[in-house]
Amino acid sequence: MSPPAATYDIPTSTTAGNGLSVKKDLGVKPAAFNGQSKTLAELEDKWESFTFAPIRESQVSRAMTRRYFNDLDSYAESDIVIVGAGSCGLSTAYMLGKKRPDLKIAIVEAGVAPGGGAWLGGQLFSAMVMRKPADLFLTDLNIPFDDEGDFVVVKHAALFTSTLLSRVLQFPNIKLFNATTVEDLITRPAPTPTDPKAVRIAGVVTNWTLVSMHHDDQSCMDPNTINAPLVISTTGHDGPFGAFCVKRLVSMQQIEKLGGMRGLDMRTAEDAIVKGTREIVPGLIVGGMELSEVDGANRMGPTFGAMALSGVKAAEEALAVVDERRAQNME
């Protein structure tokens, strides 16, 4: 038998028979904080009398869980799901948020901290290098950089990543579910004359990342789902969670095999990734370094222009097909 749940009312005002307002006493004292301060500067030199506004621990819990589960409910049917919140996924989300505020966009990120490998430039060095014309994306975000001719340098990669992440999270139609991983793809039959077993992607199967990591030593941990007519996968090159969607396409026999990422060649790798960003199978667009595993493109190393512009192209590709895929998904 489960223990009884504790229930507490949030402090409210009631009106007594004489018309006077009476506050219920739930053990929370009335506001003793410096409620007269209107600016941060007005708090200075008043720390002896300072205290925060009153709150119950349950109010904190309810404020978090209520919003989270409302988001789960709202985004269970999304227009687009972006898998991976690295530099390519966030760039895709930024462009979609700007161009189509009517679309409901969910971002699913396996890590606690979004940003992927874009918090540092490379080998624990801070500066971020982007080859032109990726500087146009930086200008759109109003991120300063040093112009070095054929490339530009942002003084710290974290400036790029934090700015981009902040802009994305401010869009009211975009929700980031971090510490959440995609465990599988939702499919629908889409046979063609040449491939009677072909499918289209109709959403993602999700779970909390820590749960997903323990399927081998725990049980009864079924996943959750998000239906969406279009999925954009930007999970990076092969790794613990990398290239997940394209590897799943192979195991589902929707593509024959992966090309495998080739050795590092910046000159060819970045062009190949941007040009190759596309819908691999109906309902699944792939961008960023995940494409290197599909197409056998070269590794590019610590230069990030292709990640940003692959995101720009992924958004363009998505907008070209999203309405068509939405109609299919309702069939």
Side-chain angles (χ1 to χ4, degrees):
M1 179 177 178
S2 300
T7 57
Y8 297 97
D9 292 329
I10 296 174
T12 57
S13 294
T14 60
T15 303
N18 58 8
L20 297 177
S21 178
V22 179
K23 184 173 287 293
K24 294 180 181 178
D25 184 6
L26 295 179
V28 178
K29 299 302 180 185
F33 69 107
N34 189 352
Q36 303 304 313
S37 298
K38 302 300 183 183
T39 66
L40 188 62
E42 293 177 15
L43 291 177
E44 294 179 4
D45 299 323
K46 298 176 183 176
W47 299 113
E48 289 299 323
S49 61
F50 166 83
T51 183
F52 281 105
I55 197 169
R56 287 187 66 83
E57 290 80 2
S58 60
Q59 289 177 268
V60 177
S61 180
R62 284 170 170 164
M64 292 187 299
T65 57
R66 182 186 300 117
R67 285 163 175 76
Y68 190 85
F69 285 106
N70 282 343
D71 287 334
L72 284 177
D73 179 74
S74 176
Y75 284 86
E77 284 281 355
S78 294
D79 293 304
I80 296 176
V81 173
I82 298 173
V83 187
S87 50
C88 181
L90 291 175
S91 298
T92 305
Y94 172 71
M95 297 303 299
L96 289 172
K98 283 184 58 177
K99 293 185 175 183
R100 288 292 297 271
D102 59 305
L103 295 177
K104 188 183 296 183
I105 302 166
I107 308 174
V108 182
E109 164 58 39
V112 173
W119 290 108
L120 291 167
Q123 196 174 319
L124 303 183
F125 301 145
S126 57
M128 173 178 276
V129 176
M130 284 195 180
R131 293 166 63 196
K132 293 181 177 179
D135 59 311
L136 301 177
F137 190 73
L138 297 174
T139 300
D140 197 84
L141 287 167
N142 199 29
I143 296 174
F145 54 80
D146 295 326
D147 194 324
E148 299 287 348
D150 289 332
F151 64 92
V152 299
V153 182
V154 180
K155 68 177 183 178
H156 202 299
L159 176 60
F160 166 79
T161 305
S162 60
T163 302
L164 177 57
L165 178 60
S166 176
R167 298 290 178 85
V168 168
L169 293 179
Q170 289 179 57
F171 287 115
N173 59 319
I174 297 179
K175 170 61 183 179
L176 168 66
F177 295 97
N178 51 323
T180 304
T181 190
V182 169
E183 291 192 335
D184 207 348
L185 300 171
I186 300 173
T187 64
R188 298 286 186 267
T192 67
T194 57
D195 187 0
K197 294 183 179 180
V199 301
R200 60 180 171 82
I201 307 305
V204 295
V205 180
T206 64
N207 216 325
W208 283 316
T209 302
L210 291 177
V211 172
S212 184
M213 293 171 64
H214 286 278
H215 282 316
D216 291 337
D217 54 62
Q218 299 293 326
S219 62
C220 302
M221 296 188 293
D222 284 333
N224 203 355
T225 58
I226 301 176
N227 281 104
L230 190 60
V231 175
I232 303 175
S233 190
T234 62
T235 64
H237 53 71
D238 197 6
F241 294 102
F244 172 81
C245 290
V246 297
K247 289 187 289 188
R248 189 69 181 98
L249 290 181
V250 174
S251 63
M252 290 192 299
Q253 300 180 349
Q254 294 304 300
I255 57 177
E256 182 178 354
K257 63 180 181 179
L258 297 181
M261 184 171 62
R262 302 293 196 264
L264 192 150
D265 184 346
M266 290 183 183
R267 295 173 300 175
T268 63
E270 292 203 275
D271 286 3
I273 293 301
V274 175
K275 291 178 179 179
T277 299
R278 66 193 185 279
E279 191 176 31
I280 300 294
V281 299
L284 180 66
I285 292 172
V286 179
M289 288 308 295
E290 190 166 356
L291 269 173
S292 66
E293 302 292 352
V294 180
D295 295 342
N298 290 91
R299 183 175 182 175
M300 66 187 61
T303 177
F304 290 82
M307 297 299 95
L309 295 188
S310 178
V312 174
K313 188 166 188 281
E316 182 180 321
E317 296 284 321
L319 296 181
V321 300
V322 64
D323 294 325
E324 176 186 350
R325 296 290 173 260
R326 181 192 284 157
Q328 291 176 336
N329 215 41
M330 297 306 293
E331 294 174 357

